[in-house]
Structure formats: C-alpha cells, structure tokens
Amino acid sequence: MLDVVDVTENYGVSGWIAEAEAVITDLLERGRRPLVVGGTGFYLRALTQGLPLAPAADPKLRSQLEAELAERGLDALLADIAQVRPDQLERMERNPRRVVRALEVYRQSGQFPSDFGHQAPRFTAQVFAFSPPLSELEKRAEARTRQMLAAGWPAEAEWLAAQVAPDTTPLPTAWQALGYREALALAHGHRTLDEAAEQITLATRRYAKRQRTFIRTQLGAELLSPQEGHAALRDFLTTNVQ
C-alpha cells in the first residue's frame, strides 16, 4: 500500500482499514500469509482490535481546535483534558493529533474516544515487535535525518508546500508527518542544517519512545531485540498457523 493517496487528500484510519482489509482478503484468497509491516500504532491497533466507534469527524470543530493548538499550545489542551478526565492523559501520549481528536469528540458528546469501544476486528493477527536498544535507535535516527536532508528532503517539502499549504485548516494529513515543517524552514533559509537536523531528531526520538510504550500497552506485544524478533517471526512463518 505505497502510493495509494495523493498528498492533497486527507486520509484517515477508516479509509486505510477498508483498503488494508481488501489487500489482506486478496492475499488470503491466493493462499498467502499477509505481513502488515510498519505504520502508526493507532492504525495497527484499529486493524488488530477493531475500528473505534467514536463519532465521525467534525471538520469545523477540528479546525477550531487546531487553531487553539497553534495559539495556546499542546500543554494548554492537555490541561483542558486533565480538568475533566485525568485518566485520559496517558492515552494522549503528547500526540497533538490525538489530543485534537479527543477534544473534538468530547466537545461533541461529553465523552472521550475510548469510551465508545471498538468494532470487532475482521481478522486475527499475531503481533511481533522488535527494536534495537533506545541508545542505538537514537543514533540511527540522527544519522537517517541527516541523510534524508542531504538527499533532497528540503526540496520535497517545498514541492509539498506548492501542492498543499502547511497552514491550511484542517491541517492536511501530509503535513502531519515528522520533519516536513523543519525541512521546509531549511529550504526557505529560516533554519540552518544543524538546527533542522536537531529539531527533527529530537521529535523522532520522542516519537520512538511513544511507539515503544504504545507497542507494550496498546498492542500487547513484547518488545524484542532484532535477533529475537527475526527468530520469532521466522518460526511463525514456518508453522501452519492460520
């Protein structure tokens, strides 16, 4: 599922689930065992545990909340959540998109997304998660960031800005990816290479830490070393598990 959406399109979990399930069904009908690799934790959880049953998006309300986020900052919106439901803070994981969605649902219904439950998932899945130690992961994130910046990321961010303005509301899905705003600032001369690399690396490190926590708490998977993960996956693929 590479190159399935244009950058001008907003893309959400329900659309991805529909397309992913169609691909999985096709593979199963051909006698293949699908491997779903990568992706955000929220999307993977929806695939393995079912789509959330929370109310549909309200574009006008979301635009208002994104404007609030820009004006007041993430901590202020988290404080709003803490006043009414402090138990929801851990679920937010300081993820701006998740915070905006949570407040959108709350202002619509008086409840938070987790209060609505999930549909039953269409398929069962075995989750494998593996990662190098965090210290090594952070070094690799910094090296990868600098490689991407040297390979043309700023020019790609300029091209993206020509297709979809980064200050459009609601915020286009493409601009929610890590690093594109910093790469654009570098292209426009508003950041030096070192400043952009440092900011992107820091955001990536924080995201990696949230992913590791999400894997354990939300996907219910043990975080293995690469060697352990490869061995576990190989054993799974050589069995007759359906």
Side-chain angles (χ1 to χ4, degrees):
M1 290 183 62
L2 295 175
D3 195 23
V4 297
V5 180
D6 191 89
V7 295
T8 59
E9 297 178 58
N10 276 310
Y11 195 58
V13 64
S14 59
W16 181 79
I17 289 292
E19 294 191 49
E21 288 182 342
V23 173
I24 291 170
T25 298
D26 175 65
L27 290 169
L28 291 173
E29 289 176 349
R30 291 191 279 128
R32 304 296 181 89
R33 181 172 297 161
L35 296 180
V36 181
V37 183
T40 68
F42 177 68
Y43 279 42
L44 293 175
R45 184 178 64 183
L47 182 67
T48 59
Q49 300 177 20
L51 274 170
L53 293 172
D58 181 331
K60 183 177 179 180
L61 179 55
R62 180 165 297 186
S63 294
Q64 293 172 356
L65 284 162
E66 287 174 347
E68 280 189 45
L69 176 64
E71 180 180 349
R72 298 173 59 209
L74 180 62
D75 287 331
L77 296 192
L78 286 169
D80 290 348
I81 294 174
Q83 285 185 342
V84 292
R85 286 285 296 276
D87 62 299
Q88 292 292 315
L89 288 180
E90 186 176 357
R91 291 179 177 273
M92 299 302 103
E93 297 180 332
R94 296 191 63 82
N95 183 318
R97 188 175 185 182
R98 192 170 301 162
V99 170
V100 166
R101 173 60 177 160
L103 285 172
E104 176 191 340
V105 172
Y106 176 73
R107 293 184 185 181
Q108 283 179 285
S109 66
Q111 295 179 287
F112 283 87
S114 61
D115 296 328
F116 290 88
H118 296 79
Q119 294 177 354
R122 184 173 175 184
F123 302 103
T124 58
Q126 176 70 43
V127 180
F128 295 92
F130 40 97
S131 170
L134 193 57
S135 59
E136 180 183 342
L137 195 63
E138 291 177 345
K139 291 178 182 177
R140 291 173 63 175
E142 181 175 6
R144 179 175 179 268
T145 295
R146 289 188 175 272
Q147 289 169 359
M148 292 173 68
L149 290 171
W153 196 357
E156 180 183 334
E158 275 196 305
W159 174 86
L160 178 60
Q163 314 304 310
V164 186
D167 56 354
T168 304
T169 55
L171 185 65
T173 305
W175 280 111
Q176 296 171 23
L178 283 176
Y180 276 86
R181 288 182 177 275
E182 292 80 2
L184 181 62
L186 175 58
H188 288 170
H190 300 152
R191 297 283 188 280
T192 66
L193 175 60
D194 286 343
E195 287 172 343
E198 182 179 354
Q199 291 170 350
I200 295 171
T201 300
L202 178 60
T204 304
R205 287 173 178 170
R206 289 173 174 168
Y207 184 61
K209 289 180 180 179
R210 293 198 302 268
Q211 281 186 315
R212 292 163 70 93
T213 300
F214 192 95
I215 286 167
R216 292 191 297 267
T217 62
Q218 302 297 316
L219 296 182
E222 180 184 0
L223 194 60
L224 305 173
S225 71
Q227 295 79 12
E228 293 170 330
H230 293 162
L233 183 57
R234 182 177 61 249
D235 290 346
F236 173 76
L237 292 175
T238 55
T239 67
N240 293 319
V241 175
Q242 298 297 317

